[in-house]
PDB file of all heavy atoms in Angstrom:
ATOM      1  N   ASP D   1     -15.323-133.640 -97.972  1.00 93.00           N
ATOM      2  CA  ASP D   1     -15.568-134.522 -96.830  1.00 93.00           C
ATOM      3  C   ASP D   1     -17.028-134.480 -96.388  1.00 93.00           C
ATOM      4  O   ASP D   1     -17.617-135.520 -96.067  1.00 93.00           O
ATOM      5  CB  ASP D   1     -14.656-134.163 -95.661  1.00 93.00           C
ATOM      6  CG  ASP D   1     -13.185-134.444 -95.945  1.00 93.00           C
ATOM      7  OD1 ASP D   1     -12.891-135.162 -96.932  1.00 93.00           O
ATOM      8  OD2 ASP D   1     -12.331-133.912 -95.200  1.00 93.00           O
ATOM      9  N   LEU D   2     -17.619-133.277 -96.347  1.00 92.00           N
ATOM     10  CA  LEU D   2     -19.018-133.152 -95.936  1.00 92.00           C
ATOM     11  C   LEU D   2     -19.949-133.892 -96.883  1.00 92.00           C
ATOM     12  O   LEU D   2     -20.852-134.609 -96.456  1.00 92.00           O
ATOM     13  CB  LEU D   2     -19.427-131.680 -95.901  1.00 92.00           C
ATOM     14  CG  LEU D   2     -19.301-130.947 -94.592  1.00 92.00           C
ATOM     15  CD1 LEU D   2     -19.583-129.456 -94.781  1.00 92.00           C
ATOM     16  CD2 LEU D   2     -20.225-131.512 -93.550  1.00 92.00           C
ATOM     17  N   VAL D   3     -19.749-133.709 -98.180  1.00 91.00           N
ATOM     18  CA  VAL D   3     -20.615-134.355 -99.162  1.00 91.00           C
ATOM     19  C   VAL D   3     -20.424-135.867 -99.123  1.00 91.00           C
ATOM     20  O   VAL D   3     -21.394-136.625 -99.190  1.00 91.00           O
ATOM     21  CB  VAL D   3     -20.372-133.788-100.577  1.00 91.00           C
ATOM     22  CG1 VAL D   3     -21.126-134.579-101.624  1.00 91.00           C
ATOM     23  CG2 VAL D   3     -20.788-132.322-100.631  1.00 91.00           C
ATOM     24  N   ALA D   4     -19.186-136.332 -98.979  1.00 91.00           N
ATOM     25  CA  ALA D   4     -18.929-137.772 -98.905  1.00 91.00           C
ATOM     26  C   ALA D   4     -19.599-138.394 -97.681  1.00 91.00           C
ATOM     27  O   ALA D   4     -20.080-139.528 -97.738  1.00 91.00           O
ATOM     28  CB  ALA D   4     -17.426-138.031 -98.867  1.00 91.00           C
ATOM     29  N   THR D   5     -19.657-137.655 -96.576  1.00 90.00           N
ATOM     30  CA  THR D   5     -20.266-138.158 -95.345  1.00 90.00           C
ATOM     31  C   THR D   5     -21.791-138.093 -95.391  1.00 90.00           C
ATOM     32  O   THR D   5     -22.473-139.055 -95.047  1.00 90.00           O
ATOM     33  CB  THR D   5     -19.778-137.339 -94.131  1.00 90.00           C
ATOM     34  OG1 THR D   5     -18.364-137.340 -94.114  1.00 90.00           O
ATOM     35  CG2 THR D   5     -20.313-137.903 -92.835  1.00 90.00           C
ATOM     36  N   ARG D   6     -22.334-136.955 -95.833  1.00 88.00           N
ATOM     37  CA  ARG D   6     -23.774-136.726 -95.758  1.00 88.00           C
ATOM     38  C   ARG D   6     -24.557-137.155 -96.992  1.00 88.00           C
ATOM     39  O   ARG D   6     -25.747-137.394 -96.902  1.00 88.00           O
ATOM     40  CB  ARG D   6     -24.056-135.258 -95.477  1.00 88.00           C
ATOM     41  CG  ARG D   6     -23.549-134.842 -94.116  1.00 88.00           C
ATOM     42  CD  ARG D   6     -23.901-133.412 -93.861  1.00 88.00           C
ATOM     43  NE  ARG D   6     -23.547-133.063 -92.512  1.00 88.00           N
ATOM     44  CZ  ARG D   6     -24.426-132.618 -91.625  1.00 88.00           C
ATOM     45  NH1 ARG D   6     -25.666-132.450 -91.952  1.00 88.00           N
ATOM     46  NH2 ARG D   6     -24.030-132.311 -90.416  1.00 88.00           N
ATOM     47  N   LYS D   7     -23.907-137.194 -98.144  1.00 88.00           N
ATOM     48  CA  LYS D   7     -24.597-137.530 -99.388  1.00 88.00           C
ATOM     49  C   LYS D   7     -23.671-138.369-100.269  1.00 88.00           C
ATOM     50  O   LYS D   7     -23.237-137.926-101.326  1.00 88.00           O
ATOM     51  CB  LYS D   7     -24.992-136.239-100.098  1.00 88.00           C
ATOM     52  CG  LYS D   7     -26.045-136.397-101.132  1.00 88.00           C
ATOM     53  CD  LYS D   7     -27.281-135.647-100.700  1.00 88.00           C
ATOM     54  CE  LYS D   7     -28.252-135.475-101.819  1.00 88.00           C
ATOM     55  NZ  LYS D   7     -29.108-136.597-102.030  1.00 88.00           N
ATOM     56  N   PRO D   8     -23.338-139.595 -99.833  1.00 89.00           N
ATOM     57  CA  PRO D   8     -22.418-140.430-100.609  1.00 89.00           C
ATOM     58  C   PRO D   8     -22.979-140.673-102.012  1.00 89.00           C
ATOM     59  O   PRO D   8     -24.174-140.782-102.208  1.00 89.00           O
ATOM     60  CB  PRO D   8     -22.333-141.733 -99.820  1.00 89.00           C
ATOM     61  CG  PRO D   8     -23.151-141.564 -98.608  1.00 89.00           C
ATOM     62  CD  PRO D   8     -23.847-140.253 -98.657  1.00 89.00           C
ATOM     63  N   GLY D   9     -22.078-140.746-102.962  1.00 88.00           N
ATOM     64  CA  GLY D   9     -22.496-140.978-104.345  1.00 88.00           C
ATOM     65  C   GLY D   9     -22.719-139.698-105.136  1.00 88.00           C
ATOM     66  O   GLY D   9     -22.914-139.734-106.335  1.00 88.00           O
ATOM     67  N   THR D  10     -22.681-138.555-104.445  1.00 89.00           N
ATOM     68  CA  THR D  10     -22.848-137.278-105.124  1.00 89.00           C
ATOM     69  C   THR D  10     -21.483-136.780-105.572  1.00 89.00           C
ATOM     70  O   THR D  10     -20.532-136.762-104.801  1.00 89.00           O
ATOM     71  CB  THR D  10     -23.496-136.233-104.190  1.00 89.00           C
ATOM     72  OG1 THR D  10     -24.767-136.716-103.784  1.00 89.00           O
ATOM     73  CG2 THR D  10     -23.660-134.897-104.877  1.00 89.00           C
ATOM     74  N   GLN D  11     -21.405-136.399-106.846  1.00 91.00           N
ATOM     75  CA  GLN D  11     -20.163-135.843-107.375  1.00 91.00           C
ATOM     76  C   GLN D  11     -20.143-134.354-107.087  1.00 91.00           C
ATOM     77  O   GLN D  11     -21.150-133.667-107.247  1.00 91.00           O
ATOM     78  CB  GLN D  11     -20.083-136.083-108.876  1.00 91.00           C
ATOM     79  CG  GLN D  11     -18.801-135.596-109.495  1.00 91.00           C
ATOM     80  CD  GLN D  11     -18.773-135.818-111.004  1.00 91.00           C
ATOM     81  OE1 GLN D  11     -19.720-136.287-111.604  1.00 91.00           O
ATOM     82  NE2 GLN D  11     -17.651-135.449-111.604  1.00 91.00           N
ATOM     83  N   VAL D  12     -19.001-133.830-106.637  1.00 90.00           N
ATOM     84  CA  VAL D  12     -18.872-132.418-106.293  1.00 90.00           C
ATOM     85  C   VAL D  12     -17.805-131.773-107.165  1.00 90.00           C
ATOM     86  O   VAL D  12     -16.714-132.318-107.314  1.00 90.00           O
ATOM     87  CB  VAL D  12     -18.465-132.231-104.812  1.00 90.00           C
ATOM     88  CG1 VAL D  12     -18.366-130.768-104.464  1.00 90.00           C
ATOM     89  CG2 VAL D  12     -19.430-132.918-103.902  1.00 90.00           C
ATOM     90  N   ILE D  13     -18.151-130.620-107.710  1.00 92.00           N
ATOM     91  CA  ILE D  13     -17.185-129.814-108.440  1.00 92.00           C
ATOM     92  C   ILE D  13     -17.162-128.450-107.769  1.00 92.00           C
ATOM     93  O   ILE D  13     -18.201-127.790-107.668  1.00 92.00           O
ATOM     94  CB  ILE D  13     -17.571-129.674-109.927  1.00 92.00           C
ATOM     95  CG1 ILE D  13     -17.598-131.045-110.599  1.00 92.00           C
ATOM     96  CG2 ILE D  13     -16.604-128.733-110.644  1.00 92.00           C
ATOM     97  CD1 ILE D  13     -18.106-131.024-112.020  1.00 92.00           C
ATOM     98  N   VAL D  14     -15.997-128.053-107.269  1.00 91.00           N
ATOM     99  CA  VAL D  14     -15.839-126.750-106.630  1.00 91.00           C
ATOM    100  C   VAL D  14     -15.026-125.874-107.578  1.00 91.00           C
ATOM    101  O   VAL D  14     -13.892-126.199-107.917  1.00 91.00           O
ATOM    102  CB  VAL D  14     -15.149-126.857-105.256  1.00 91.00           C
ATOM    103  CG1 VAL D  14     -14.990-125.480-104.627  1.00 91.00           C
ATOM    104  CG2 VAL D  14     -15.930-127.781-104.336  1.00 91.00           C
ATOM    105  N   LEU D  15     -15.638-124.782-107.997  1.00 91.00           N
ATOM    106  CA  LEU D  15     -14.992-123.817-108.895  1.00 91.00           C
ATOM    107  C   LEU D  15     -14.835-122.503-108.149  1.00 91.00           C
ATOM    108  O   LEU D  15     -15.587-122.219-107.221  1.00 91.00           O
ATOM    109  CB  LEU D  15     -15.848-123.603-110.143  1.00 91.00           C
ATOM    110  CG  LEU D  15     -16.209-124.855-110.937  1.00 91.00           C
ATOM    111  CD1 LEU D  15     -17.320-124.550-111.920  1.00 91.00           C
ATOM    112  CD2 LEU D  15     -14.992-125.378-111.644  1.00 91.00           C
ATOM    113  N   SER D  16     -13.884-121.704-108.593  1.00 90.00           N
ATOM    114  CA  SER D  16     -13.671-120.426-107.945  1.00 90.00           C
ATOM    115  C   SER D  16     -12.965-119.471-108.891  1.00 90.00           C
ATOM    116  O   SER D  16     -12.323-119.893-109.857  1.00 90.00           O
ATOM    117  CB  SER D  16     -12.827-120.625-106.689  1.00 90.00           C
ATOM    118  OG  SER D  16     -12.574-119.389-106.079  1.00 90.00           O
ATOM    119  N   SER D  17     -13.074-118.201-108.554  1.00 87.00           N
ATOM    120  CA  SER D  17     -12.384-117.195-109.349  1.00 87.00           C
ATOM    121  C   SER D  17     -10.886-117.184-109.063  1.00 87.00           C
ATOM    122  O   SER D  17     -10.105-116.734-109.890  1.00 87.00           O
ATOM    123  CB  SER D  17     -12.990-115.809-109.087  1.00 87.00           C
ATOM    124  OG  SER D  17     -13.011-115.527-107.707  1.00 87.00           O
ATOM    125  N   VAL D  18     -10.473-117.700-107.911  1.00 86.00           N
ATOM    126  CA  VAL D  18      -9.048-117.764-107.558  1.00 86.00           C
ATOM    127  C   VAL D  18      -8.859-118.785-106.434  1.00 86.00           C
ATOM    128  O   VAL D  18      -9.764-119.017-105.633  1.00 86.00           O
ATOM    129  CB  VAL D  18      -8.511-116.365-107.138  1.00 86.00           C
ATOM    130  CG1 VAL D  18      -9.119-115.923-105.832  1.00 86.00           C
ATOM    131  CG2 VAL D  18      -7.010-116.333-107.057  1.00 86.00           C
ATOM    132  N   LEU D  19      -7.706-119.419-106.401  1.00 89.00           N
ATOM    133  CA  LEU D  19      -7.346-120.308-105.306  1.00 89.00           C
ATOM    134  C   LEU D  19      -6.603-119.466-104.273  1.00 89.00           C
ATOM    135  O   LEU D  19      -5.552-118.889-104.564  1.00 89.00           O
ATOM    136  CB  LEU D  19      -6.457-121.454-105.800  1.00 89.00           C
ATOM    137  CG  LEU D  19      -6.124-122.517-104.767  1.00 89.00           C
ATOM    138  CD1 LEU D  19      -7.394-123.201-104.269  1.00 89.00           C
ATOM    139  CD2 LEU D  19      -5.175-123.551-105.357  1.00 89.00           C
ATOM    140  N   LEU D  20      -7.177-119.370-103.079  1.00 88.00           N
ATOM    141  CA  LEU D  20      -6.639-118.490-102.047  1.00 88.00           C
ATOM    142  C   LEU D  20      -5.526-119.150-101.237  1.00 88.00           C
ATOM    143  O   LEU D  20      -5.591-120.331-100.926  1.00 88.00           O
ATOM    144  CB  LEU D  20      -7.749-118.073-101.081  1.00 88.00           C
ATOM    145  CG  LEU D  20      -8.873-117.226-101.651  1.00 88.00           C
ATOM    146  CD1 LEU D  20      -9.960-117.023-100.601  1.00 88.00           C
ATOM    147  CD2 LEU D  20      -8.346-115.893-102.125  1.00 88.00           C
ATOM    148  N   THR D  21      -4.543-118.344-100.896  1.00 89.00           N
ATOM    149  CA  THR D  21      -3.508-118.726 -99.936  1.00 89.00           C
ATOM    150  C   THR D  21      -3.777-117.901 -98.676  1.00 89.00           C
ATOM    151  O   THR D  21      -4.534-116.926 -98.729  1.00 89.00           O
ATOM    152  CB  THR D  21      -2.101-118.392-100.479  1.00 89.00           C
ATOM    153  OG1 THR D  21      -2.001-116.977-100.650  1.00 89.00           O
ATOM    154  CG2 THR D  21      -1.831-119.106-101.790  1.00 89.00           C
ATOM    155  N   PRO D  22      -3.190-118.246 -97.541  1.00 85.00           N
ATOM    156  CA  PRO D  22      -3.415-117.423 -96.344  1.00 85.00           C
ATOM    157  C   PRO D  22      -3.058-115.953 -96.569  1.00 85.00           C
ATOM    158  O   PRO D  22      -3.784-115.058 -96.138  1.00 85.00           O
ATOM    159  CB  PRO D  22      -2.503-118.066 -95.298  1.00 85.00           C
ATOM    160  CG  PRO D  22      -2.386-119.488 -95.720  1.00 85.00           C
ATOM    161  CD  PRO D  22      -2.410-119.455 -97.233  1.00 85.00           C
ATOM    162  N   HIS D  23      -1.972-115.700 -97.271  1.00 83.00           N
ATOM    163  CA  HIS D  23      -1.560-114.318 -97.533  1.00 83.00           C
ATOM    164  C   HIS D  23      -2.562-113.601 -98.445  1.00 83.00           C
ATOM    165  O   HIS D  23      -2.971-112.476 -98.166  1.00 83.00           O
ATOM    166  CB  HIS D  23      -0.164-114.288 -98.155  1.00 83.00           C
ATOM    167  CG  HIS D  23       0.290-112.913 -98.540  1.00 83.00           C
ATOM    168  ND1 HIS D  23       0.655-111.972 -97.609  1.00 83.00           N
ATOM    169  CD2 HIS D  23       0.391-112.313 -99.758  1.00 83.00           C
ATOM    170  CE1 HIS D  23       0.982-110.844 -98.236  1.00 83.00           C
ATOM    171  NE2 HIS D  23       0.831-111.032 -99.536  1.00 83.00           N
ATOM    172  N   SER D  24      -2.979-114.250 -99.533  1.00 83.00           N
ATOM    173  CA  SER D  24      -3.887-113.583-100.473  1.00 83.00           C
ATOM    174  C   SER D  24      -5.272-113.371 -99.859  1.00 83.00           C
ATOM    175  O   SER D  24      -5.950-112.391-100.180  1.00 83.00           O
ATOM    176  CB  SER D  24      -3.991-114.364-101.779  1.00 83.00           C
ATOM    177  OG  SER D  24      -4.580-115.628-101.572  1.00 83.00           O
ATOM    178  N   ALA D  25      -5.706-114.272 -98.968  1.00 77.00           N
ATOM    179  CA  ALA D  25      -7.015-114.104 -98.334  1.00 77.00           C
ATOM    180  C   ALA D  25      -7.044-112.847 -97.472  1.00 77.00           C
ATOM    181  O   ALA D  25      -7.983-112.053 -97.533  1.00 77.00           O
ATOM    182  CB  ALA D  25      -7.354-115.330 -97.491  1.00 77.00           C
ATOM    183  N   VAL D  26      -6.004-112.651 -96.674  1.00 76.00           N
ATOM    184  CA  VAL D  26      -5.936-111.458 -95.828  1.00 76.00           C
ATOM    185  C   VAL D  26      -5.790-110.212 -96.693  1.00 76.00           C
ATOM    186  O   VAL D  26      -6.434-109.189 -96.439  1.00 76.00           O
ATOM    187  CB  VAL D  26      -4.757-111.572 -94.825  1.00 76.00           C
ATOM    188  CG1 VAL D  26      -4.547-110.270 -94.081  1.00 76.00           C
ATOM    189  CG2 VAL D  26      -5.005-112.719 -93.857  1.00 76.00           C
ATOM    190  N   GLU D  27      -4.991-110.306 -97.728  1.00 77.00           N
ATOM    191  CA  GLU D  27      -4.798-109.172 -98.633  1.00 77.00           C
ATOM    192  C   GLU D  27      -6.108-108.777 -99.313  1.00 77.00           C
ATOM    193  O   GLU D  27      -6.456-107.602 -99.380  1.00 77.00           O
ATOM    194  CB  GLU D  27      -3.750-109.545 -99.678  1.00 77.00           C
ATOM    195  CG  GLU D  27      -3.311-108.398-100.539  1.00 77.00           C
ATOM    196  CD  GLU D  27      -2.203-108.834-101.488  1.00 77.00           C
ATOM    197  OE1 GLU D  27      -2.535-109.424-102.540  1.00 77.00           O
ATOM    198  OE2 GLU D  27      -1.034-108.601-101.155  1.00 77.00           O
ATOM    199  N   LEU D  28      -6.870-109.758 -99.792  1.00 73.00           N
ATOM    200  CA  LEU D  28      -8.149-109.465-100.446  1.00 73.00           C
ATOM    201  C   LEU D  28      -9.179-108.914 -99.458  1.00 73.00           C
ATOM    202  O   LEU D  28      -9.972-108.045 -99.801  1.00 73.00           O
ATOM    203  CB  LEU D  28      -8.708-110.722-101.114  1.00 73.00           C
ATOM    204  CG  LEU D  28      -8.032-111.141-102.399  1.00 73.00           C
ATOM    205  CD1 LEU D  28      -8.521-112.514-102.825  1.00 73.00           C
ATOM    206  CD2 LEU D  28      -8.292-110.122-103.493  1.00 73.00           C
ATOM    207  N   LEU D  29      -9.167-109.434 -98.243  1.00 68.00           N
ATOM    208  CA  LEU D  29     -10.131-108.999 -97.241  1.00 68.00           C
ATOM    209  C   LEU D  29      -9.940-107.554 -96.835  1.00 68.00           C
ATOM    210  O   LEU D  29     -10.894-106.803 -96.690  1.00 68.00           O
ATOM    211  CB  LEU D  29     -10.030-109.904 -96.002  1.00 68.00           C
ATOM    212  CG  LEU D  29     -11.015-109.651 -94.882  1.00 68.00           C
ATOM    213  CD1 LEU D  29     -12.435-109.869 -95.360  1.00 68.00           C
ATOM    214  CD2 LEU D  29     -10.711-110.564 -93.716  1.00 68.00           C
ATOM    215  N   PHE D  30      -8.691-107.128 -96.684  1.00 66.00           N
ATOM    216  CA  PHE D  30      -8.434-105.797 -96.168  1.00 66.00           C
ATOM    217  C   PHE D  30      -7.890-104.819 -97.201  1.00 66.00           C
ATOM    218  O   PHE D  30      -7.494-103.716 -96.852  1.00 66.00           O
ATOM    219  CB  PHE D  30      -7.496-105.874 -94.963  1.00 66.00           C
ATOM    220  CG  PHE D  30      -8.082-106.678 -93.836  1.00 66.00           C
ATOM    221  CD1 PHE D  30      -7.480-107.830 -93.395  1.00 66.00           C
ATOM    222  CD2 PHE D  30      -9.278-106.289 -93.248  1.00 66.00           C
ATOM    223  CE1 PHE D  30      -8.026-108.582 -92.364  1.00 66.00           C
ATOM    224  CE2 PHE D  30      -9.838-107.037 -92.224  1.00 66.00           C
ATOM    225  CZ  PHE D  30      -9.211-108.174 -91.783  1.00 66.00           C
ATOM    226  N   ALA D  31      -7.882-105.196 -98.463  1.00 65.00           N
ATOM    227  CA  ALA D  31      -7.438-104.272 -99.509  1.00 65.00           C
ATOM    228  C   ALA D  31      -8.481-103.174 -99.679  1.00 65.00           C
ATOM    229  O   ALA D  31      -9.679-103.415 -99.570  1.00 65.00           O
ATOM    230  CB  ALA D  31      -7.237-105.011-100.828  1.00 65.00           C
ATOM    231  N   SER D  32      -8.031-101.965 -99.941  1.00 55.00           N
ATOM    232  CA  SER D  32      -8.963-100.840-100.044  1.00 55.00           C
ATOM    233  C   SER D  32      -9.844-100.931-101.276  1.00 55.00           C
ATOM    234  O   SER D  32     -10.941-100.388-101.301  1.00 55.00           O
ATOM    235  CB  SER D  32      -8.198 -99.515-100.047  1.00 55.00           C
ATOM    236  OG  SER D  32      -7.306 -99.492-101.140  1.00 55.00           O
TER     237      SER D  32
END
């Protein structure tokens, strides 16, 4: 949404090591 609003015509590819869920985000944040 930000890129479409501020820089129309720019193609965006978002890559990541994992797709986070609310549960996995908290687990990753506070895991020892």
Side-chain angles (χ1 to χ4, degrees):
D1 293 346
L2 267 173
V3 172
T5 306
R6 295 182 174 239
K7 198 115 166 83
T10 300
Q11 183 182 3
V12 181
I13 298 174
V14 179
L15 305 166
S16 178
S17 53
V18 68
L19 185 61
L20 295 174
T21 63
H23 176 72
S24 65
V26 172
E27 189 176 82
L28 285 170
L29 183 62
F30 299 118
S32 59

